[in-house]
């Protein structure tokens, strides 16, 4: 969903003074561009060690890792799952996403916007996915994947139509902000006790 490029490429270059980019990054001088600018040995063919308590790991080839992606509107990642590992509910404000399962069995789904007003239920679209299966997560909608196998790991490749999809992890957006959201706001919004809010905000995994 990124803007269309108006030149062949615009390999991004880090300008020491530039802090804000209105759209994409500044282009490297085309005279100095080489094939390596369009290349990143991302190691997406091999498992990456899972350190997160979620039991999953996302290995990205986004613009940040691959400057040749700048203005091209695409990006790719590998997701590794431990047995019963989860990629927790999150959304990408700038990208639709396809997920292709390479190994294992994933329970994957997304929820919709609330149809007409905030008091209506969102709908959940969910599937069990096997190797070779492709599922799409529409742009901006909250989605997740869970490795249903308690013994074997799982692997998926995900593709995005943005060089920088952005990620909003649902739990962190509510309980993992800095500074924390006022407890009374969360307690009232989620029909929860303030003690439980305090507990959730204190979890270190919220800040990971
Ligand atoms: C999967 O949904 C991902 O964005 O890594
Ligand atoms: Mn995603």
């Amino acid at each position: 969903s990124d803007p269309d490029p108006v030149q062949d490429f615009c390999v991004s270059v880090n300008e020491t003074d530039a802090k804000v980019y209105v759209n994409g990054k500044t282009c490297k001088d085309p005279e100095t561009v080489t094939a390596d600018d369009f290349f990143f040995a991302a190691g997406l063919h091999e498992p990456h060690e899972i350190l997160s308590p979620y039991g999953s790991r996302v290995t990205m080839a986004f613009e940040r890792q691959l400057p040749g992606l700048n203005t091209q509107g695409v990006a790719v990642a590998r997701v590794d799952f431990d047995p019963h590992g989860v990629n927790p509910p999150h959304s990408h404000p700038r990208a639709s996403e396809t997920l292709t399962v390479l190994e294992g069995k994933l329970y994957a789904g997304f929820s919709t916007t609330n149809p007409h007003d905030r008091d209506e239920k969102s709908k959940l679209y969910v599937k069990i996915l096997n190797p070779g299966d492709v599922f799409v997560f529409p742009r901006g909608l909250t989605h997740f994947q869970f490795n249903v196998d308690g013994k074997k790991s799982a692997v998926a490749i995900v593709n995005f139509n943005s060089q920088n999809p952005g990620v909003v992890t649902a739990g962190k957006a509510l309980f993992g902000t800095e500074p924390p959201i006022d407890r009374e706001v969360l307690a009232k919004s989620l029909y929860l006790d303030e003690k439980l809010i305090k507990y959730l905000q204190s979890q270190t995994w919220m800040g990971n």
Side-chain angles (χ1 to χ4, degrees):
S1 72
D2 296 355
D4 283 334
V6 291
Q7 61 279 305
D8 281 1
F9 53 79
C10 166
V11 173
S12 63
V13 65
N14 275 329
E15 277 194 317
T16 45
D17 290 346
K19 286 274 191 298
V20 176
Y21 303 93
V22 174
N23 226 327
K25 299 264 180 88
T26 306
C27 309
K28 186 174 179 180
D29 176 0
E31 295 290 323
T32 69
V33 166
T34 69
D36 280 342
D37 289 313
F38 303 101
F39 168 83
F40 171 47
L44 297 195
H45 64 305
E46 60 193 5
H48 289 248
E49 195 190 353
I50 296 167
L51 304 163
S52 153
Y54 296 128
S56 70
R57 174 156 182 179
V58 182
T59 306
M60 289 173 267
F62 290 5
E63 180 278 329
R64 223 174 131 185
Q65 293 82 19
L66 207 180
L69 284 181
N70 192 41
T71 74
Q72 298 305 314
V74 292
V76 62
R78 170 189 171 111
V79 192
D80 284 291
F81 298 86
D82 277 338
H84 282 170
V86 71
N87 188 2
H90 66 276
S91 64
H92 308 287
R94 291 179 291 276
S96 309
E97 170 182 343
T98 58
L99 175 139
T100 307
V101 180
L102 297 185
E103 276 169 41
K105 204 182 263 292
L106 294 177
Y107 170 79
F110 66 87
S111 52
T112 64
T113 56
N114 318 38
H116 302 293
D117 70 63
R118 63 163 200 222
D119 297 328
E120 280 188 61
K121 271 197 170 167
S122 3
K123 198 169 159 150
L124 178 70
Y125 294 91
V126 75
K127 281 285 284 183
I128 298 277
L129 307 175
N130 291 294
D133 291 350
V134 179
F135 199 69
V136 58
F137 304 111
R139 176 174 165 180
L141 299 187
T142 299
H143 58 281
F144 59 85
Q145 301 101 31
F146 175 68
N147 179 1
V148 295
D149 198 306
K151 295 206 177 73
K152 292 193 208 117
S153 49
V155 184
I157 294 288
V158 286
N159 291 274
F160 303 91
N161 65 336
S162 169
Q163 67 181 42
N164 180 23
V167 59
V168 180
T169 305
K172 288 182 190 176
L174 293 175
F175 305 109
T177 60
E178 180 57 56
I181 298 177
D182 185 280
R183 270 180 216 140
E184 195 178 345
V185 172
L186 291 174
K188 189 138 197 179
S189 303
L190 299 167
Y191 305 94
L192 293 175
D193 197 83
E194 279 190 45
K195 278 202 214 79
L196 184 53
I197 302 293
K198 189 175 176 182
Y199 167 79
L200 290 169
Q201 285 177 332
S202 74
Q203 295 303 293
T204 50
W205 46 263
M206 278 300 173
N208 276 338

